[in-house]
Amino acid sequence: ARAAEGSGGGQEVEIKTRSESGCHTAEPGEACYDFDITWARTTGMPLHPEWYEGLTPNSSMVDIQLFIYSSAGNKNCSMPCAQLSAPWCRQAADAPALWAPSGGGAPEKIKILTYNLFWWSLFGRRHGNNHSAGTLIKDHMSDAPFDVMGFQECEDLPRVLKPVGLLDTYGVIMDKFAICMAYSKKAWTLIERGLVEVAEDMVTKYYGRRGAQWMRLKSLTSNRSLFFMNHHGPLSINSGGRCGGQATAYNLLSVVAKHAQVGDTLILVGDFNANAASSTIQTLWKKLVQTFAGESWGGVDNIFTNVPSTNVIKRKIMGSGGSDHEAIYAVLQLGEDKLKKSTAQVPLESVRQLTGKAKPGYEWQHFWCGRIEDNTEYAFDPSAWSQVFVQSKAANDPERCCRECQANARCKAWLWKDWAAEAQGKQCMMSGTEPISQKAVNGYVSGLTYVAAAAAALESAQHAITRV
């Protein structure tokens, strides 16, 4: 059967039966519907709303079933077939147009930081590691303080800043989705702030929905205004989450266009859970200047702005401070248009490091997949080399399928099925050629190795903008 779903601008999504793809939308009379979904709506949510973040008793049955399917201990609920109904999947035909920052005014520098704090380990298990994260930040303020800072996996920002004497000088904003941001109260005053949901993790790597927090600031020394946004992207890495990287990028850009004002200096930072191999970053290249990218997980930590690349006067990887990510920062110079021509080509450098110093390893602590496309079936040349895994670890989930593909020099692309009729279970297929076509199919996940994805990214990087 086929049905038109509200995803990606009205694309047609192929809905397969359980015997074909592994998806099944629960119906009355089935345990998932009568017990799990009904109990969640009538009992679980009213008594324990904190268990069902992002859901209410009025949420769609499909969204509730998807949440239950993704939860530990689930026994009754399959992946629902109609799972592309999230509002962030219904993207516009094109990303909104943005603008350059207002010109003129006295010269002014803006120092920007982004840092994933690895909270569960650094603070949950190691109790702050003798204030190592805060110390790292303070050690990089000897020349000038940070104007704005974005943090991911952040649950209590004062716990980071207060022990090193920085809390009193910063305005702190903490939101759900474990994201925090801070601004220098000596240089900026807060105009307004907000939080918007923009993405959601893939079912096979599900932690929840993802947001973007933003704030508008007014300079205390000039007439400039600054729009700053902080984002922690959806999993799996380089998938763009449930709706794909282009939709996630469009949603981020739409938040900027809606809440910023023409003339604002625009800054977007975060751990995007996406590096230069992803459609997320490649879509952003078309609308914002990639100011800097780190090296962790292939370069998932990024700073984007609407400031010309020639006005970026410093970029630095700071170190980890006990996290599994390295903090990064950049300094912008505003009010001077005749700066020395920049030699940095951040998009091209970001692509080169995918197969260089930031390439993935086989061990999970160093693994990332080149490209992952959820609910997508790649078709391959049947005469090309291929290998199929069933009833093995490689077939357990898409990341394991990609991991085995990347470990095999003959493999360029892969296809994972939540249910393959011939295997009566999950299946991983590896191919020695890139896909000749693709289509949307629920329950299938496809992707490229990091080498193949890097080669594809190189062409996109050639067209990345250097000024808005």
Side-chain angles (χ1 to χ4, degrees), residues 285 290 345-353 457-458 461-462 464:
W285 281 342
Q290 188 180 28
Q345 297 177 303
V346 175
L348 289 173
E349 292 172 358
S350 299
V351 172
R352 293 187 188 108
Q353 74 177 12
L458 187 59
Q462 306 282 351

Side-chain angles (χ1 to χ4, degrees), residues 238 277-279 282 369-373 378 402 414 446-449 453:
N238 288 342
S278 70
S279 58
Q282 292 171 31
C369 185
R371 174 70 71 91
I372 297 180
E373 298 193 68
Y378 283 176
C402 178
W414 52 273
S446 301
L448 302 175
T449 65

Side-chain angles (χ1 to χ4, degrees), residues 9-342:
Q11 73 182 66
E12 192 176 58
V13 177
E14 185 170 352
I15 305 298
K16 294 194 172 187
T17 64
R18 171 71 194 181
S19 62
E20 294 175 294
S21 72
C23 69
H24 173 73
T25 302
E27 300 175 355
E30 298 175 349
C32 177
Y33 188 100
D34 292 347
F35 297 101
D36 296 74
I37 295 174
T38 300
W39 186 89
R41 271 182 166 160
T42 61
T43 304
M45 293 181 194
L47 292 178
H48 299 285
E50 71 278 6
W51 292 357
Y52 302 90
E53 184 174 347
L55 296 176
T56 72
N58 294 323
S59 295
S60 72
M61 186 194 74
V62 167
D63 282 343
I64 297 174
Q65 182 179 339
L66 176 63
F67 182 90
I68 295 170
Y69 167 77
S70 307
S71 302
N74 166 56
K75 296 180 179 179
N76 296 326
C77 292
S78 303
M79 178 177 64
C81 293
Q83 60 164 300
L84 298 180
S85 59
W88 37 82
C89 290
R90 297 191 289 272
Q91 65 200 42
D94 193 13
L98 300 179
W99 53 84
S102 294
E108 187 173 12
K109 294 178 181 178
I110 302 177
K111 191 174 180 180
I112 310 155
L113 172 143
T114 183
Y115 191 7
N116 182 315
L117 292 167
F118 197 30
W119 194 274
W120 74 269
S121 174
L122 182 54
F123 291 90
R125 288 189 174 182
R126 290 176 281 154
H127 309 291
N129 194 38
N130 197 28
H131 317 307
S132 58
T135 300
L136 178 71
I137 296 168
K138 189 172 184 179
D139 286 348
H140 285 80
M141 294 174 58
S142 57
D143 59 339
F146 290 103
D147 288 273
V148 283
M149 300 186 287
F151 299 91
Q152 308 83 43
E153 295 191 40
C154 171
E155 297 182 10
D156 184 0
L157 189 51
R159 190 175 170 187
V160 180
L161 302 180
K162 186 174 182 179
V164 294
L166 297 178
L167 184 58
D168 290 342
T169 59
Y170 282 92
V172 170
I173 298 173
M174 298 184 293
D175 285 308
K176 67 177 183 177
F177 308 117
I179 46 180
C180 309
M181 52 189 177
Y183 63 93
S184 171
K185 293 189 291 186
K186 294 182 178 180
W188 303 89
T189 183
L190 180 66
I191 301 172
E192 59 180 332
R193 52 160 289 195
L195 174 71
V196 182
E197 291 183 348
V198 294
E200 188 167 12
D201 291 341
M202 290 175 54
V203 170
T204 52
K205 193 79 172 181
Y206 196 82
Y207 290 88
R209 298 181 178 185
R210 302 287 176 151
Q213 58 175 179
W214 58 268
M215 58 183 173
R216 287 195 72 235
L217 304 171
K218 180 74 174 177
S219 173
L220 296 176
T221 58
S222 72
N223 289 323
R224 291 188 178 91
S225 54
L226 169 65
F227 181 88
F228 180 83
M229 190 160 75
N230 178 40
H231 171 60
H232 190 194
L235 291 170
S236 292
I237 289 178
N238 288 342
S239 71
R242 180 175 170 183
C243 304
Q246 186 180 70
T248 296
Y250 279 13
N251 291 336
L252 290 169
L253 294 167
S254 295
V255 174
V256 175
K258 180 178 180 179
H259 296 288
Q261 294 189 11
V262 174
D264 284 356
T265 300
L266 306 177
I267 300 173
L268 167 61
V269 307
D271 165 10
F272 290 74
N273 273 320
N275 57 41
S278 70
S279 58
T280 304
I281 299 301
Q282 292 171 31
T283 301
L284 292 174
W285 281 342
K286 301 174 183 178
K287 298 294 181 176
L288 287 170
V289 177
Q290 188 180 28
T291 299
F292 195 31
E295 297 175 2
S296 302
W297 308 101
V300 298
D301 304 294
N302 282 271
I303 300 172
F304 284 87
T305 73
N306 65 341
V307 175
S309 59
T310 52
N311 288 65
V312 183
I313 60 175
K314 190 171 185 179
R315 304 172 175 89
K316 186 172 181 180
I317 295 177
M318 298 164 54
S320 69
S323 174
D324 62 343
H325 287 247
E326 292 177 306
I328 63 173
Y329 81 83
V331 181
L332 311 178
Q333 176 70 67
L334 303 183
E336 293 186 18
D337 297 326
K338 296 182 179 180
L339 297 175
K340 182 179 179 180
K341 185 177 180 180
S342 173

Side-chain angles (χ1 to χ4, degrees), residues 430-450:
M430 306 194 309
S431 174
T433 183
E434 294 182 28
I436 55 177
S437 65
Q438 65 184 72
K439 62 182 177 181
V441 180
N442 274 299
Y444 289 8
V445 182
S446 301
L448 302 175
T449 65
Y450 74 94

